[in-house]
Amino acid sequence: MIIIMEPRATQEQAQKVIDILKENGFDIRYKQGEIYTVIDAIGDKTTITPDRLSALDGVKEVKIIREPFRLASRDRKSDDTVIEFSNGVKIGGGNKPVTIAGPCSIEDYDGLLEVAKCAKEMGCQFLRGGAFKPRTSPYDFQGYGEKALQYMRQAADETGLLTVSEVMDASDLEMMCDYIDVLQIGARNVQNFKLLHAVGKSNKPVILKRGLASTIREFLLAAEHILYNGNPNVILCERGIRSFDSAFTRNVMDIASIPVIKKLSHLPVIVDPSHGTGQRYLIEPMAKAGLIVGADGIMIEVHNNPEKALSDGKQSLPIPMFRDVMTRINKLNEKIHYEKEFLSADISEETVC
Ligand code: PEP
Ligand code: MN
């Protein structure tokens, strides 16, 4: 890391920083300019954190050179993580992008089965649906719990799909693992560290959604909590962040985060344009945009009767529209898969952080 001292910092203050760094095993290079003194420190940041150094008198700024998410970082593992399921489906590593489709919440079995059949017919690999819903208001529909997961397992087995559902509470994990192939951590729980630790100890792959106000670094550090606790199978999901203009979109979908994360991390990344935009007509263009910039998959909300949906009906695609959208997305995926060089871009250029 690089420590920049205040212009008026004294020699003693700079020396104190150097002494502390040396005591903690850092190798120091020291430059005294006309205005600033800069200390270049190479060593293990676990022994002394940048925060502790920032608190010392005379320190203006501490810049980190190496990202703090060690296990999630490409510096640590240069090849892409590929997550493979028992039926041969793979996510990441340049494999054909996957599609996760289904209602926001699991409601009745027949409706879910109708969606699942269409998803399978259109080449999707995963059925999604919430059984435990993180709702802003306690008066809104909270999900049907285990009964919903039973429906989901049954509909997925009948159609040959894998299942994805959100876990909100670590105490539900064991029960959920009987029904679910991929656990989802929702945007609102991205920094629920106990929950991250709990899914880190599980053997199920995890889709981690970006928080409403997560920076990319915070998002990757949330993934780090899961990896650190032993689970290497984390899929990052860009689902939009909150910004100042919600007049036409529910969130701002940060498309650039996909190549940024690909550059910083080996983990697979997917996009969720349903929550990312909140608008039916934007789902197709934003799903395509995500795929073109390198997403390993997409997640789309689909409902057999969106007008009656108990959550997120406004952004859910009705089945006929989903069928049309998927026809075009499948064509795009063929192009992406077989004509990779036409999309390839050099993301290796170094940036200073
Ligand atoms: C969802 O997938 O239904 C959901 C609630 O997503 P998010 O956590 O991204 O809002
Ligand atoms: Mn939803």
Side-chain angles (χ1 to χ4, degrees):
M1 59 195 145
I2 292 175
I3 298 99
I4 304 165
M5 302 302 292
E6 293 283 3
R8 272 189 287 276
T10 62
Q11 182 65 36
E12 290 69 41
Q13 286 171 334
Q15 193 54 52
K16 185 164 177 200
V17 173
I18 292 169
D19 290 347
I20 292 179
L21 284 163
K22 280 190 175 163
E23 274 162 29
N24 283 279
F26 278 79
D27 192 16
I28 303 295
R29 251 161 287 160
Y30 171 85
K31 264 183 241 138
Q32 192 160 15
E34 230 173 81
I35 302 176
Y36 293 109
T37 295
V38 176
I39 301 163
D40 185 358
I42 299 163
D44 178 5
K45 283 206 301 290
T46 51
T47 59
I48 179 158
T49 64
D51 273 0
R52 250 188 80 197
L53 291 170
S54 303
L56 295 175
D57 287 341
V59 172
K60 179 179 188 308
E61 204 178 335
V62 179
K63 283 185 185 277
I64 50 172
I65 301 293
R66 205 161 132 222
E67 289 295 343
F69 40 84
R70 291 160 184 237
L71 302 172
S73 163
R74 237 189 229 288
D75 297 343
R76 172 77 170 238
K77 177 175 180 289
S78 61
D79 54 321
D80 288 339
T81 287
V82 179
I83 300 173
E84 189 165 354
F85 295 84
S86 53
N87 63 356
V89 169
K90 290 181 186 156
I91 305 185
N95 282 291
K96 209 162 165 181
V98 296
T99 304
I100 301 162
C104 180
S105 321
I106 300 164
E107 296 161 17
D108 61 300
Y109 181 70
D110 292 344
L112 182 67
L113 185 62
E114 207 184 326
V115 171
K117 281 183 175 161
C118 176
K120 182 66 186 180
E121 190 195 322
M122 296 318 296
C124 305
Q125 295 80 7
F126 297 86
L127 178 65
R128 63 144 286 150
F132 301 97
K133 295 303 303 175
R135 304 309 298 276
T136 303
S137 163
Y139 305 111
D140 287 340
F141 177 59
Q142 306 290 309
Y144 285 135
E146 187 168 359
K147 183 86 213 147
L149 296 175
Q150 286 164 355
Y151 286 170
M152 184 178 232
R153 189 71 264 165
Q154 207 179 321
D157 287 347
E158 211 169 311
T159 47
L161 291 166
L162 295 157
T163 55
V164 178
S165 198
E166 176 165 351
V167 55
M168 280 177 48
D169 191 322
S171 66
D172 294 325
L173 258 181
E174 206 181 318
M175 174 279 287
M176 287 187 75
C177 288
D178 290 342
Y179 306 102
I180 295 305
D181 298 305
V182 182
L183 297 160
Q184 178 173 312
I185 298 284
R188 291 153 192 83
N189 274 316
V190 70
Q191 287 191 321
N192 180 340
F193 298 112
K194 282 202 168 164
L195 187 57
L196 298 178
H197 295 176
V199 296
K201 292 192 178 91
S202 132
N203 58 5
K204 299 279 179 185
V206 178
I207 291 178
L208 177 67
K209 293 241 189 154
R210 184 170 178 184
L212 278 69
S214 295
T215 63
I216 292 174
R217 194 172 276 138
E218 285 165 346
F219 187 25
L220 285 164
L221 277 168
E224 189 79 5
H225 277 271
I226 302 175
L227 301 174
Y228 182 75
N229 278 278
N231 189 342
N233 296 322
V234 178
I235 301 150
L236 299 161
C237 179
E238 167 59 48
R239 50 76 73 206
I241 46 177
R242 189 167 277 180
S243 187
F244 58 88
D245 188 356
S246 57
F248 304 105
T249 53
R250 179 174 173 181
N251 289 299
V252 173
M253 228 181 117
D254 183 5
I255 285 290
S257 74
I258 296 150
V260 170
I261 293 171
K262 287 260 163 206
K263 177 181 162 62
L264 296 173
S265 176
H266 51 83
L267 295 173
V269 190
I270 62 168
V271 284
D272 168 0
S274 303
H275 295 87
T277 69
Q279 302 290 338
R280 251 175 232 156
Y281 81 98
L282 291 173
I283 290 167
E284 179 175 355
M286 294 312 278
K288 287 176 174 169
L291 290 166
I292 285 173
V293 298
D296 297 296
I298 54 176
M299 176 184 277
I300 295 182
E301 286 190 339
V302 188
H303 199 280
N304 58 307
N305 188 354
E307 282 174 26
K308 296 227 167 99
L310 297 176
S311 63
D312 285 350
K314 181 170 155 33
Q315 69 194 33
S316 299
L317 296 186
I319 289 175
M321 190 173 171
F322 174 65
R323 193 172 266 126
D324 290 347
V325 166
M326 280 311 296
T327 304
R328 292 185 288 269
I329 284 182
N330 286 336
K331 284 192 186 145
L332 178 69
N333 277 338
E334 289 294 314
K335 281 238 173 265
I336 290 173
H337 194 59
Y338 294 110
E339 296 176 36
K340 272 198 187 107
E341 69 282 6
F342 121 92
L343 287 174
S344 66
D346 185 4
I347 55 168
S348 59
E349 191 184 304
E350 276 309 312
T351 49
V352 178
C353 26

